[in-house]
Amino acid sequence: MTQHATPTPTPAAAADQLDYLRERGIGALATTMGVEFTEFTTERAVAVMPVEGNTQPIMLMHGGAYVVLGETLGSMHANLVAPEGHVAVGLDINATHTGSARTGMVTGVCTPIKLGRSVAVHEIVITNDQGQRCSTVRITNFYKRIAG
């Protein structure tokens, strides 16, 4: 799960929250899988990911790919809104797959369910190009104090 040993750029200092993502990066796995953020605010985060290259042998989007998209969105958003001097560390993630994608892009929309002092819980709804829900991911992050 997401964990960082060194302090990250302060989101409040970034003129645009997408600049925060560019400064920090989204991680090698998310980059390799083609995740691209299209919206990143304190209210929600939105990203797209291609189906091509992220499929299982029967050419449906791999369930683990939905989880990667969900964790990327939830962890990055939790870090954006983290209390000063803290980083988000994943505690729990689960996904329920209720549809599928074979081509095109999937879109994940991440909204906070609970933003507390020590934990953040997010729901990520992932849809295919036709707007049909394919997966619902829930992630819980713990806010860990940065040493030093």
Side-chain angles (χ1 to χ4, degrees):
M1 302 269 173
T2 303
Q3 184 172 355
H4 301 277
T6 59
T8 57
T10 306
D16 168 14
Q17 267 69 24
L18 287 171
D19 285 340
Y20 169 71
L21 286 176
R22 287 188 274 287
E23 291 171 22
R24 182 180 184 156
I26 62 169
L29 179 59
T31 300
T32 298
M33 294 183 74
V35 174
E36 292 185 25
F37 278 77
T38 60
E39 182 180 335
F40 195 62
T41 67
T42 55
E43 289 79 32
R44 72 184 203 157
V46 180
V48 296
M49 182 173 67
V51 174
E52 185 176 346
N54 295 314
T55 58
Q56 54 181 269
I58 60 171
M59 303 311 296
L60 295 174
M61 178 71 108
H62 194 289
Y66 291 122
V67 176
V68 168
L69 179 57
E71 179 156 359
T72 300
L73 280 159
S75 293
M76 294 305 296
H77 191 269
N79 276 291
L80 176 69
V81 298
E84 188 171 336
H86 292 75
V87 293
V89 179
L91 288 180
D92 179 67
I93 190 164
N94 67 67
T96 303
H97 309 308
T98 54
S100 58
R102 290 184 176 271
T103 62
M105 304 287 277
V106 293
T107 302
V109 178
C110 171
T111 53
I113 295 171
K114 167 76 173 170
L115 298 175
R117 291 183 304 228
S118 60
V119 297
V121 180
H122 288 82
E123 178 182 68
I124 302 90
V125 173
I126 302 172
T127 56
N128 62 20
D129 282 338
Q130 292 73 44
Q132 299 164 325
R133 187 180 296 222
C134 295
S135 188
T136 304
V137 179
R138 192 191 75 224
I139 183 169
T140 302
N141 283 283
F142 171 72
Y143 286 127
K144 181 178 178 176
R145 180 167 287 288
I146 299 169

